[in-house]
Amino acid sequence: MAEFLFDDKKVYYEIHGEEGEPLILLNGIMMSTASWAQFVKPLSKGRRLILVDFFDQGQSARLEAGYDHKIQIELIEALAKELEKEIGVSSFNLSGISYGGEVALQYALAYPKRVRRLILANAAARTSSWLRNIGDGWNAVAEKGDGRAYYLTAIPVIYSTRFFEERAEWMNNRESILVDYFSNKEVLDRLIRLTDSSRNFDVQDRLGEIKCPTLIISSSEDALVPVSEQLILHEGIKGSNHVTINGSGHASMYEFPESFATLLAGFADLGEDEIVV
C-alpha cells in the first residue's frame, strides 16, 4: 500500500508480488482497489500486480469540479513514473474493466511505448447515446440522495438475470452493503462526477493507432456495453483478439472470476515471440 501526489492530490496504489512483468488493473466506475481482493493472490503469482484508485475512487483524492477522462489518463502516467522509480520498469501490461478499460484504451493511445499488452474487459470505444441516458438516470437518482434508489437503479442491470437469481444470497449481501455506501452524499457526488466524465468519450476514429497486442473481453448478457460495442473495438484494432464469456453480464469479474483471471493472466504472460501466426 502506497501513495504519491499528482497535481497536489493523493493517488493511492498497491503493488502485490515481488517479481515478473507488471500488470496494472484499472477499476470500473463504482469500484476501488478493494474490489480486486479475490484476484490479488492468483494474479500476483509470477508477476507484479498493481492496483490503483482513480480520482474520486477509494482512497485517492476527491475532486470538486467536473472533469473528463484526461485527468485519469494522466494519473496513470504519473503512476507509471512512480513505478519507474520504485521498481525500475518503464512498460507494463495494462488491463481495465468498463470505465477502467476506456481509460486504459486512451492511455495506450497517449503513451504507446508504455503498454506491452492491452486487455479491455466490458469496455467500449465510445459512450453510446444508450449508455449516456443510463448514466443520466443514475445521476438523476444520485442527486436525490436516496441510496436504496441508486442501488436499485444502477446495480441489478450490471449482472445477468441468471446470476442475479441463482446467487440471491450473495446479491442480498451486496445490497445491504451498497445501500449503506450509496446513502453517503459524498459517495454519490463522486459517482456523479465519474459518470459525467465519460459523457463525451469517443475514440472510434483512433482505434487503428493501437499497435500493441490487445485482448477484448465481452459478456454475452452485458446490458450496459453489449457485444456489438466490443466488435467495434475488435474491428478497429488490427490483429486484436476477441473472447466472449457466455452467460455473463457486465460484471464479468464477479460472475465468472476463474475465467476472468485466466484470460488476464494467460494473455499477459504470452511472450512476444511465443505465438507465430
Side-chain angles (χ1 to χ4, degrees):
M1 293 71 175
E3 60 185 57
F4 64 91
L5 292 179
F6 166 54
D7 197 22
D8 292 325
K9 300 175 182 67
K10 184 179 84 168
V11 176
Y12 175 83
Y13 70 103
E14 301 175 3
I15 300 178
H16 301 272
E18 298 180 354
E19 59 183 7
E21 290 279 351
L23 170 63
I24 298 178
L25 292 185
L26 302 184
N27 306 327
I29 201 165
M30 298 177 192
M31 294 170 60
S32 71
T33 55
S35 304
W36 298 103
Q38 66 180 315
F39 295 94
V40 168
K41 185 176 180 179
L43 292 182
S44 61
K45 288 181 179 177
R47 69 180 67 80
R48 288 187 176 98
L49 176 67
I50 294 109
L51 309 177
V52 60
D53 286 330
F54 289 125
F55 287 135
D56 273 331
Q57 285 187 337
Q59 299 181 63
S60 287
R62 282 60 168 155
L63 302 184
E64 298 298 330
Y67 50 87
D68 59 22
H69 285 174
K70 184 176 180 181
I71 194 169
Q72 312 287 26
I73 296 164
E74 295 308 314
L75 179 154
I76 300 306
E77 174 58 11
L79 172 65
K81 292 176 180 177
E82 195 72 17
L83 294 174
E84 277 191 276
K85 292 186 294 183
E86 186 168 350
I87 59 176
V89 298
S90 60
S91 63
F92 39 80
N93 299 304
L94 182 62
S95 177
I97 187 167
S98 191
Y99 183 94
E102 292 160 6
V103 173
L105 173 60
Q106 293 170 92
Y107 181 84
L109 287 167
Y111 299 98
K113 292 182 179 179
R114 293 279 197 196
V115 183
R116 178 178 174 269
R117 287 176 177 267
L118 180 64
I119 305 170
L120 308 173
N122 304 95
R126 61 171 184 159
T127 298
S128 65
S129 56
W130 155 265
L131 190 54
R132 189 177 301 114
N133 282 348
I134 289 174
D136 287 345
W138 293 352
N139 285 356
V141 174
E143 287 169 358
K144 296 180 182 298
D146 186 333
R148 178 169 172 76
Y150 189 86
Y151 173 88
L152 292 173
T153 302
I155 298 302
V157 71
I158 291 174
Y159 298 93
S160 66
T161 302
R162 173 202 58 80
F163 184 87
F164 194 89
E165 294 181 347
E166 291 180 1
R167 299 291 301 277
E169 183 177 350
W170 189 89
M171 290 303 308
N172 288 338
N173 183 57
R174 292 285 287 174
E175 180 176 355
S176 65
I177 295 169
L178 290 176
V179 167
D180 184 60
Y181 178 68
F182 292 146
S183 296
N184 184 316
K185 183 181 184 303
E186 182 181 287
V187 168
L188 291 177
D189 287 345
R190 282 185 283 151
L191 288 168
I192 289 171
R193 289 190 293 269
L194 283 161
T195 301
D196 280 344
S197 73
S198 294
R199 187 168 186 81
N200 297 313
F201 164 63
D202 190 339
V203 293
Q204 292 178 93
D205 61 349
R206 298 192 61 195
L207 294 177
E209 298 174 35
I210 298 291
K211 303 302 181 185
C212 62
T214 301
L215 173 63
I216 298 154
I217 302 173
S218 298
S219 296
S220 65
E221 307 303 315
D222 192 336
L224 292 181
V225 185
V227 175
S228 58
E229 294 294 331
Q230 273 88 44
L231 289 175
I232 293 172
L233 286 172
H234 180 46
E235 292 164 6
I237 301 175
K238 186 178 179 181
S240 62
N241 302 272
H242 179 220
V243 175
T244 299
I245 300 177
N246 289 323
S248 178
H250 188 68
S252 57
M253 60 178 283
Y254 288 129
E255 294 199 38
F256 289 91
E258 290 184 355
S259 297
F260 187 89
T262 299
L263 287 168
L264 264 62
F267 192 73
D269 286 350
L270 284 175
E272 298 299 333
D273 301 317
E274 288 182 13
I275 301 295
V276 178
V277 180

